Amino acid sequence: MRSSKLIFLLIFSLLGFLENLEAKADSEFSLLVHFRKYSHHNPFQKGTPYQKRIPAIRLDERTALALLKPGEVPLFAEIHPEESAGRKAYFQKVDLDTGLGIVLLPENFGRSKKASPIALLEEGVRTQGTCSSFFTNFEWGSLEFSKSILPLSKLSRKENQDGTRSFLYSGKKVCGFTDGTWNAGADLLRRFYQSRFSSASPFPHPGFSAEGSLTPAEEDYYFPKGSVGAVVSEVLPGIGPMHNLFPGDAVLSVNGTPVASKQKQVLYDILLSKGGSYLNSGEWVTLSLYRDGRKREIRYQLRPYNEDSFLIPESSDKIAPKYIIAGGLLFTELTHTYLKEYGEKYKSSSDRKLVYLAESYSKKLHPERSRIVLLSRAFPDEKNRAYQEFQDLILESVNDKVVDSVEGLKAAISENKDEFLIFRFSGNKLAVFDKSELKSLDERIKSLYSLDSLDNIR
């Protein structure tokens, strides 16, 4: 009797497994996505093309949702590339930080014999049906290679090292997706799909980091007597309420709801959700603070994570870095990716000052600059022979005008009315060019090295 019952359970489990496989085969299809990989040391190069297959599901007649990796910038995709005339599909929207992408399918895709049916996104995945088995715990966290704070379920053990993503299924419904470390629910997919006509990510970031592990003495210092909360440790420029919120501020309540806990998870829960629903980017929140012995209130708008305002962004080798060539000197902007191109031991093999700046100014603003502009190296020519040993120097100014970005450098050169251009670098090094000679030098460099353009600033 016991053996027959065991056989029945095994058959039942096998049927469920086969059903999930069938559901995956029905609603999921593969896209061959085309990318370009760029070099931050050689930003003038077109980039090396490469392709890889990405899982996707169709959410309506013309729209699919694809699982990219954070930081990947796709060019286009091919549907059924094994056919002699693989049809192209284009990305309507990509969230670089979460890696979710919306794909516009060809008009006749729905009538194709190989067209996948429209996928069904499960609702209430955390509490209803078999989808709940994927979400045995809940916490606010960040997907692999991402900085966005999302409601996720962490796996008991890491299933892969490279963050490869796949959809999660129960029967014929999509429960969400996994990156091998975290499971994300279908509610995130639905929120992103609903934001497809907006350029912004729907997933807000708190805009600041908070410290919950405080000693009793620290609690007495930061909080009024009898209060509990979280102390701000860092405010992210361009995301959080800079100039209104400061490290050391004690957050007592959010939108009138007391934090009442030292746990960061509690703070995120009342900051990023309300009444059981998750807040989207663009919504307003009010923080009640305690600072310098006084209670204060600030109100700010939730924004998605981005590094546009960081002095030294992380950046990515999937994104074309900005550059300009003047006098045969190659200028670009300092990013963490630029340094990491020196190899795994970049902290010892690259310029120590640049490494120090990258670590010190990570996620920070600068009072004068929006970016640090580097002279990466010189293209050898007789007219710039004196500067051919210049490498990885910080550009301070052009004719005493402070340079705050590559765009600012281009403007400083084009707007300069003097006879000479004087580039001043860190270490009090100078490069001086006669403006009439500089133009012919750059044209010669462009021809000699077969460059498409002397800059990529638009």
Side-chain angles (χ1 to χ4, degrees):
M1 181 70 177
R2 181 176 298 175
S3 60
S4 62
K5 186 176 181 180
L6 180 60
I7 293 173
F8 174 78
L9 290 174
L10 288 172
I11 294 174
F12 182 79
S13 300
L14 180 61
L15 289 174
F17 175 72
L18 293 174
E19 183 183 7
N20 283 348
L21 287 181
E22 181 183 0
K24 180 176 180 178
D26 285 342
S27 62
E28 183 177 319
F29 62 98
S30 175
L31 290 172
L32 183 64
V33 183
H34 293 249
F35 304 89
R36 282 190 185 277
K37 183 175 183 178
Y38 297 93
S39 167
H40 282 239
H41 286 191
N42 302 290
F44 53 87
Q45 294 178 343
K46 292 181 179 180
T48 306
Y50 68 99
Q51 305 84 36
K52 64 178 179 178
R53 290 187 178 273
I54 299 295
I57 53 175
R58 190 160 67 111
L59 297 181
D60 61 35
E61 291 297 327
R62 290 290 312 280
T63 306
L65 190 144
L67 298 179
L68 304 162
K69 280 187 182 179
E72 290 186 330
V73 183
L75 300 175
F76 64 92
E78 288 184 78
I79 302 173
H80 307 315
E82 68 279 359
E83 298 177 355
S84 57
R87 289 172 294 169
K88 287 186 178 180
Y90 297 93
F91 284 82
Q92 179 184 19
K93 177 177 182 176
V94 175
D95 181 7
L96 289 182
D97 193 66
T98 62
L100 299 180
I102 296 290
V103 183
L104 290 179
L105 302 170
E107 290 187 13
N108 60 351
F109 179 77
R111 296 189 293 272
S112 170
K113 292 182 179 179
K114 290 188 177 182
S116 301
I118 294 175
L120 300 174
L121 299 181
E122 179 64 287
E123 297 184 12
V125 294
R126 304 183 192 283
T127 57
Q128 300 175 12
T130 54
C131 277
S132 59
S133 62
F134 293 115
F135 307 98
T136 53
N137 56 66
F138 165 80
E139 61 181 285
W140 294 92
S142 299
L143 295 163
E144 291 287 279
F145 313 112
S146 171
K147 300 292 195 309
S148 294
I149 306 296
L150 303 170
L152 304 169
S153 180
K154 195 166 190 177
L155 302 181
S156 57
R157 63 183 180 85
K158 199 168 186 175
E159 295 184 353
N160 63 60
Q161 298 298 319
D162 62 358
T164 300
R165 297 180 165 194
S166 58
F167 289 102
L168 300 171
Y169 295 90
S170 175
K172 295 185 177 298
K173 292 188 176 182
V174 179
C175 298
F177 69 95
T178 184
D179 63 7
T181 300
W182 299 90
N183 288 347
D187 52 325
L188 294 180
L189 302 179
R190 185 179 293 103
R191 285 170 66 191
F192 188 70
Y193 171 67
Q194 291 170 347
S195 75
R196 63 193 182 280
F197 299 116
S198 167
S199 59
S201 166
F203 309 118
H205 190 280
F208 65 93
S209 300
E211 179 59 58
S213 302
L214 302 174
T215 65
E218 288 173 328
E219 290 178 13
D220 291 340
Y221 175 80
Y222 286 113
F223 293 95
K225 190 173 182 180
S227 297
V228 179
V231 175
V232 175
S233 57
E234 182 179 45
V235 185
L236 302 182
I239 310 172
M242 292 292 292
H243 313 301
N244 284 321
L245 188 67
F246 302 94
D249 285 351
V251 182
L252 303 177
S253 68
V254 180
N255 294 331
T257 302
V259 177
S261 173
K262 292 183 283 186
Q263 299 299 318
K264 189 184 299 184
Q265 292 292 326
V266 174
L267 174 65
Y268 287 161
D269 201 39
I270 61 176
L271 186 60
L272 300 177
S273 66
K274 184 178 181 180
S277 299
Y278 300 119
L279 298 182
N280 288 324
S281 298
E283 301 194 51
W284 291 84
V285 295
T286 300
L287 302 183
S288 176
L289 309 172
Y290 190 69
R291 178 196 304 161
D292 298 331
R294 294 176 55 191
K295 288 187 177 180
R296 309 164 187 263
E297 276 195 355
I298 67 165
R299 188 169 182 263
Y300 72 103
Q301 201 170 18
L302 291 173
R303 297 181 177 89
Y305 182 88
N306 73 79
E307 300 184 352
D308 292 346
S309 299
F310 293 5
L311 176 67
I312 304 174
E314 184 69 30
S315 196
S316 167
D317 58 4
K318 315 294 191 304
I319 303 173
K322 297 174 184 177
Y323 76 92
I324 183 172
I325 298 170
L329 307 181
L330 172 61
F331 296 94
T332 187
E333 294 177 349
L334 177 61
T335 65
H336 288 267
T337 303
Y338 180 92
L339 294 175
K340 289 176 181 177
E341 285 188 12
Y342 280 104
E344 292 183 2
K345 298 182 179 180
Y346 72 91
K347 290 187 178 182
S348 58
S349 59
S350 56
D351 186 278
R352 290 187 179 182
K353 182 177 181 179
L354 300 184
V355 173
Y356 169 79
L357 286 171
E359 292 181 346
S360 300
Y361 276 94
S362 180
K363 303 178 184 177
K364 289 183 174 65
L365 286 172
H366 189 277
E368 292 183 333
R369 306 167 187 264
S370 57
R371 289 286 189 274
I372 290 180
V373 178
L374 292 179
L375 189 168
S376 179
R377 68 175 186 277
F379 289 91
D381 187 271
E382 182 67 24
K383 295 294 183 181
N384 65 10
R385 182 169 53 180
Y387 316 121
Q388 288 172 16
E389 299 301 318
F390 283 15
Q391 183 177 3
D392 287 349
L393 298 179
I394 297 173
L395 178 63
E396 301 287 355
S397 63
V398 175
N399 291 49
D400 295 326
K401 182 177 181 180
V402 174
V403 175
D404 64 350
S405 63
V406 168
E407 292 93 338
L409 171 58
K410 184 175 181 179
I413 294 173
S414 62
E415 296 169 4
N416 189 278
K417 305 299 182 185
D418 298 335
E419 183 180 352
F420 292 91
L421 278 173
I422 304 173
F423 299 90
R424 186 179 297 276
F425 302 98
S426 55
N428 203 30
K429 293 184 177 180
L430 299 178
V432 182
F433 294 92
D434 183 302
K435 285 181 67 176
S436 61
E437 293 182 350
L438 183 135
K439 185 174 182 181
S440 61
L441 168 59
D442 282 339
E443 289 302 319
R444 188 164 63 250
I445 292 290
K446 183 178 179 181
S447 173
L448 182 62
Y449 290 92
S450 303
L451 303 176
D452 290 337
S453 176
L454 292 172
D455 70 76
N456 63 352
I457 309 303
R458 299 293 179 262

